[in-house]
Amino acid sequence: MRQLNFIFCLIFFVSSSHAQTDINRIKSDPKYWCAEGQGTTIDEADHDALAQIIRQISVSVSANTQEEDESRTKNGAEYSNYTRKGTINSSSFASLKNVEMLIVKPEPNAVVFRWVAKSEVDKMFEERKAKILDFIETGRIAEQRLQIDDALRNYYWALMLSKVHRDAVYCDFNGKSVNCLTFLPQKIKSVISNIKATLKECTNSDNRYKAGVKFTYNGREIASVQLRYFDGQSFIGPLTARDGYGELELVKLPVDNKLKIRYEYSFRNEAENLDAELRSVFSETKTVPIDNAMVDIPVKINQKKNVMTMDNKKTSSAGTNKTTADAIKPETATKRERKQLDIVGDNTQYLAVMGEIEEAIRQNTPETVFKHFTPDGYKMFETLLRKTGTVSLVGGSQKYEFVKANEQVLGRFCKVKIKFKDGKSFMEKLVFRFNESDKKILSVAFALTQKAEDDIFNAASSWTDISRFTILQFMEDYQTAYALKREDYIEKIFSDDAIIITGTVLKTAPRANKEGMTLDLGRKDIHFTRQNKQQYMTNLRRHFNDREYIHLTFEDNITKVINAPRIQPGTAFAIQINQIYNSPVYSDKGYLTLILDASKELPIIHVRMWMPDKKEMMTIEEFINKFEF
């Protein structure tokens, strides 16, 4: 026994001697930041060591910053009073990688040695700068597409990262190089100032008021914007207004003749779900308030009818900082022409049916319109009303267009609002698909956003009408299936040998109960899993059971015909589409790659892959080669 103890002590002494030699070498090497931490536990000692390293780097960054500021001032360069004092803290190093650790002394009274190459610190800041510029470019594109919520989200996230960057980050706006930290708050204010909110209608039922508000940006109908509003008792929401329209439900009319709304711009919850670096920055860095995000829409109260109307004598602009709006030009919105739809001439019968359906929605009585549906169509309608939040019609009257497509007549659009228990509301436009022969409703779907639909039709300008509407209907059905939790439909549209790659943004370590094989795709903050169809459906059923809702929104997309070895030539389609995923417990935003076989009546998915960022997406060719599809 004594001999064993002697051997153990000898081994520990030798290993400790080697460790001390390494520590001394690293301490004397100017290529590293290093520190020795102490604490009762290893975790405490580790935290102490990391805190010391951060202080060392912060002092160095501050010294370099002071020299840089003085140099710029002497040279007369425009610097806009840029300052980073107090911003280089632990959140500045949330994405720092390859920080090595060595336990010098075990618990109790532990000692831990930590070190990191200075080149790793430089690399981290270079990656952050690239992320800032990428957020700005994404915001610029979103602004051009009138996706104002997305524009504000990306501009603000770029601003928060700029606060913890060691150097000033410059980008070009309207041909001028600007400092992101000082320019972005003004840009965000400018975007909000260019939003115009106008009360279009107000109805009163059982002393609850529904206010229909139109939203435009720089004179154009907004694709999407997110807001909260004062309902007479408190601010509620968020509400996502789509395609220029949102409905606000009030418990009483405003006593001061001001309908109060507050535009969302920070999207903090989404940031904390999406990105570990943003999560750290939001939790440890003071946020930047945008003072014109709160807006009053001037209204007049009609006491006789007990409703309100727009007060046109007063400004109806949602922003008040006109100086900012005049100083910074909004990104130019582009509008592309698309092929005209084949509109039904005599729509009298369809209008009559939709009138009955509207009443069924108001009364929540789907059974009263059973006769107008096929069994499958009725099941979807009943699920929508009875199992999918609280559904209400939007606006005083609906305006429909009836379009001929693929031996069907599409009744577009019935505008509704769906409200859930957590206060979140979504504006949706429903499509009712009639069988052209017997006028029965075959199915109900949530329409794509106008932007997503335009992308499909523009990409398919040389396709036949059948191909255009096949892809459009498939994507509508796909997002609707998750909202209605249609397990049977989702199981049908996936090939038995489908390649399914999912991704989850991590707040903690990946959970062991995730079905499928973990993939390393180069992102430590994303848990990628390759699943077969059975594993995917098992996970999906679990999500359907434990989440009140799963709401998908599709935005910009690329759609094209491709050559795929397993699919008949001319019937393989690839769709790469921006997906916004919302649920009460988890939300994210990313890009889906779908490869479809459209040779049969119901398109079949052979590939489904999710990636968090468009610039990181594999090309179709790369995917085929990597996974031998």
Side-chain angles (χ1 to χ4, degrees):
M1 188 67 179
R2 288 181 180 180
Q3 188 174 9
L4 286 174
N5 287 337
F6 173 76
I7 293 172
F8 175 79
C9 292
L10 181 62
I11 292 173
F12 180 80
F13 175 76
V14 171
S15 62
S16 297
S17 299
H18 281 301
Q20 192 60 50
T21 300
D22 289 338
I23 291 171
N24 292 335
R25 177 181 58 80
I26 293 167
K27 283 182 176 180
S28 62
D29 193 334
K31 295 179 181 178
Y32 295 97
W33 297 108
C34 62
E36 204 166 72
Q38 300 181 4
T40 304
T41 65
I42 289 176
D43 284 344
E44 289 177 0
D46 186 39
H47 187 271
D48 180 40
L50 288 172
Q52 290 183 55
I53 290 177
I54 289 171
R55 284 195 293 271
Q56 292 172 27
I57 302 174
S58 299
V59 169
S60 174
V61 169
S62 298
N64 292 336
T65 297
Q66 184 175 0
E67 292 177 6
E68 182 184 357
D69 289 348
E70 291 173 354
S71 173
R72 286 183 178 273
T73 302
K74 290 177 182 178
N75 294 334
E78 179 187 359
Y79 204 46
S80 305
N81 297 321
Y82 178 82
T83 177
R84 289 176 297 281
K85 291 181 180 179
T87 62
I88 304 299
N89 51 30
S90 58
S91 65
S92 304
F93 305 97
S95 57
L96 186 59
K97 302 171 184 176
N98 299 321
V99 184
E100 305 288 348
M101 183 179 78
L102 185 64
I103 299 175
V104 179
K105 184 179 177 184
E107 299 175 357
N109 302 318
V111 178
V112 168
F113 183 70
R114 280 276 199 170
W115 72 99
V116 61
K118 291 182 178 180
S119 60
E120 286 292 332
V121 179
D122 294 337
K123 182 180 177 182
M124 180 202 70
F125 281 117
E126 288 170 4
E127 291 175 350
R128 179 172 299 159
K129 179 180 179 179
K131 185 183 288 187
I132 291 169
L133 295 176
D134 184 60
F135 277 143
I136 291 171
E137 183 59 23
T138 302
R140 196 197 313 261
I141 293 170
E143 187 182 350
Q144 292 170 353
R145 293 173 173 172
L146 301 172
Q147 296 162 328
I148 303 306
D149 49 353
D150 212 16
L152 291 172
R153 175 192 294 113
N154 282 279
Y155 287 148
Y156 195 83
W157 290 354
L159 171 61
M160 290 299 292
L161 289 180
S162 296
K163 281 173 63 70
V164 296
H165 195 59
R166 68 178 176 186
D167 305 315
V169 178
Y170 283 78
C171 64
D172 290 329
F173 270 93
N174 298 320
K176 183 180 179 181
S177 180
V178 295
N179 181 327
C180 293
L181 187 58
T182 56
F183 175 79
L184 283 173
Q186 300 304 312
K187 176 61 179 174
I188 293 167
K189 289 180 182 179
S190 172
V191 171
I192 294 174
S193 293
N194 278 285
I195 303 172
K196 183 177 180 180
T198 308
L199 178 66
K200 301 302 292 182
E201 56 191 344
C202 177
T203 58
N204 170 18
S205 177
D206 298 326
N207 288 322
R208 295 190 73 86
Y209 307 88
K210 293 183 178 180
V213 180
K214 180 181 179 181
F215 296 93
T216 59
Y217 183 74
N218 196 30
R220 293 278 302 280
E221 194 175 86
I222 282 178
S224 57
V225 66
Q226 192 171 118
L227 56 101
R228 296 178 185 271
Y229 63 92
F230 189 72
D231 71 346
Q233 294 180 344
S234 62
F235 272 91
I236 64 171
L239 168 69
T240 300
R242 276 184 46 185
D243 296 330
Y245 196 87
E247 184 181 79
L248 285 55
E249 188 173 343
L250 313 177
V251 295
K252 59 183 178 180
L253 296 175
V255 295
D256 57 356
N257 294 335
K258 295 176 181 178
L259 187 57
K260 294 177 174 60
I261 61 177
R262 186 174 66 220
Y263 293 111
E264 177 61 68
Y265 58 85
S266 70
F267 295 89
R268 177 168 183 163
N269 290 339
E270 291 183 25
E272 292 178 346
N273 274 328
L274 183 67
D275 188 288
E277 187 173 20
L278 281 171
R279 181 164 63 252
S280 181
V281 171
F282 268 99
S283 63
E284 299 185 31
T285 305
K286 189 175 181 180
T287 55
V288 180
I290 304 300
D291 54 23
N292 68 336
M294 181 76 77
V295 170
D296 293 336
I297 303 176
V299 298
K300 295 187 297 184
I301 308 301
N302 186 324
Q303 299 292 349
K304 186 176 181 180
K305 295 183 177 180
N306 195 22
V307 295
M308 60 183 171
T309 58
M310 187 73 190
D311 189 348
N312 293 316
K313 292 182 179 180
K314 298 181 180 180
T315 177
S316 59
S317 171
T320 56
N321 191 341
K322 298 306 293 179
T323 303
T324 301
D326 292 340
I328 303 175
K329 295 180 180 179
E331 294 294 313
T332 303
T334 55
K335 185 176 182 179
R336 292 182 291 179
E337 297 297 326
R338 51 178 272 183
K339 183 179 177 181
Q340 293 298 311
L341 301 176
D342 185 5
I343 304 296
V344 172
D346 182 5
N347 60 19
T348 305
Q349 186 174 351
Y350 297 111
L351 281 173
V353 173
M354 292 309 304
E356 293 183 41
I357 287 173
E358 288 178 27
E359 187 60 25
I361 294 174
R362 290 189 191 95
Q363 303 299 328
N364 193 23
T365 54
E367 66 277 3
T368 59
V369 289
F370 175 81
K371 63 183 179 182
H372 295 306
F373 289 85
T374 64
D376 286 343
Y378 177 75
K379 184 178 180 181
M380 296 175 68
F381 185 62
E382 182 185 39
T383 300
L384 173 67
L385 295 192
R386 296 274 169 83
K387 301 178 182 178
T388 313
T390 302
V391 182
S392 59
L393 291 170
V394 169
S397 61
Q398 300 286 333
K399 294 181 180 179
Y400 297 105
E401 62 179 12
F402 296 94
V403 178
K404 292 182 181 180
N406 292 12
E407 299 182 351
Q408 297 177 4
V409 171
L410 311 181
R412 298 156 41 110
F413 297 100
C414 181
K415 293 182 179 179
V416 298
K417 181 172 69 174
I418 305 178
K419 186 176 181 179
F420 295 96
K421 293 177 182 177
D422 64 356
K424 198 151 194 173
S425 298
F426 299 96
M427 305 294 296
E428 296 293 344
K429 296 189 298 184
L430 302 180
V431 180
F432 289 82
R433 304 188 187 118
F434 294 80
N435 187 326
E436 194 172 10
S437 60
D438 62 10
K439 308 296 189 292
K440 295 278 190 180
I441 298 173
L442 299 164
S443 61
V444 184
F446 292 178
L448 298 186
T449 64
Q450 187 65 52
K451 178 64 181 62
E453 183 177 313
D454 285 347
D455 282 345
I456 290 174
F457 272 76
N458 286 318
S461 58
S462 61
W463 300 355
T464 64
D465 282 347
I466 292 177
S467 296
R468 263 194 297 270
F469 281 104
T470 295
I471 298 301
L472 175 64
Q473 181 168 325
F474 176 82
M475 295 310 300
E476 289 176 341
D477 286 339
Y478 185 88
Q479 69 175 7
T480 306
Y482 285 80
L484 302 185
K485 300 181 179 180
R486 294 185 63 198
E487 296 177 21
D488 55 341
Y489 173 81
I490 296 172
E491 192 157 18
K492 286 179 185 176
I493 63 173
F494 277 97
S495 166
D496 289 339
D497 59 353
I499 298 172
I500 304 171
I501 297 174
T502 61
T504 304
V505 181
L506 299 178
K507 286 188 177 181
T508 58
R511 291 174 290 184
N513 65 347
K514 188 79 173 178
E515 295 279 348
M517 178 181 68
T518 298
L519 291 179
D520 182 5
L521 297 180
R523 288 288 299 262
K524 301 303 180 185
D525 57 335
I526 307 289
H527 181 212
F528 289 106
T529 308
R530 177 172 177 172
Q531 302 173 13
N532 59 35
K533 179 178 176 178
Q534 182 179 356
Q535 291 166 336
Y536 179 74
M537 291 305 300
T538 298
N539 286 321
L540 189 61
R541 290 186 187 99
R542 185 183 302 127
H543 292 167
F544 282 165
N545 288 333
D546 64 20
R547 300 176 187 189
E548 182 193 3
Y549 62 87
I550 294 177
H551 186 272
L552 304 184
T553 303
F554 292 137
E555 289 291 352
D556 55 299
N557 63 86
I558 299 171
T559 307
K560 58 184 179 181
V561 180
I562 63 167
N563 291 320
R566 299 186 192 175
I567 302 175
Q568 180 181 337
T571 63
F573 290 83
I575 300 175
Q576 293 184 316
I577 195 164
N578 182 7
Q579 174 186 272
I580 301 168
Y581 178 104
N582 273 291
S583 78
V585 298
Y586 176 82
S587 298
D588 65 34
K589 180 179 180 181
Y591 284 82
L592 281 183
T593 296
L594 299 175
I595 297 180
L596 311 176
D597 178 357
S599 62
K600 297 182 175 60
E601 183 178 354
L602 185 66
I604 300 297
I605 299 174
H606 285 269
V607 172
R608 179 206 181 272
M609 181 176 183
W610 181 91
M611 292 292 287
D613 200 311
K614 188 175 184 178
K615 69 178 186 295
E616 295 180 358
M617 292 179 71
M618 296 181 192
T619 65
I620 301 300
E621 292 74 18
E622 288 171 340
F623 190 95
I624 290 172
N625 291 334
K626 183 175 181 66
F627 295 101
E628 298 180 351
F629 170 72

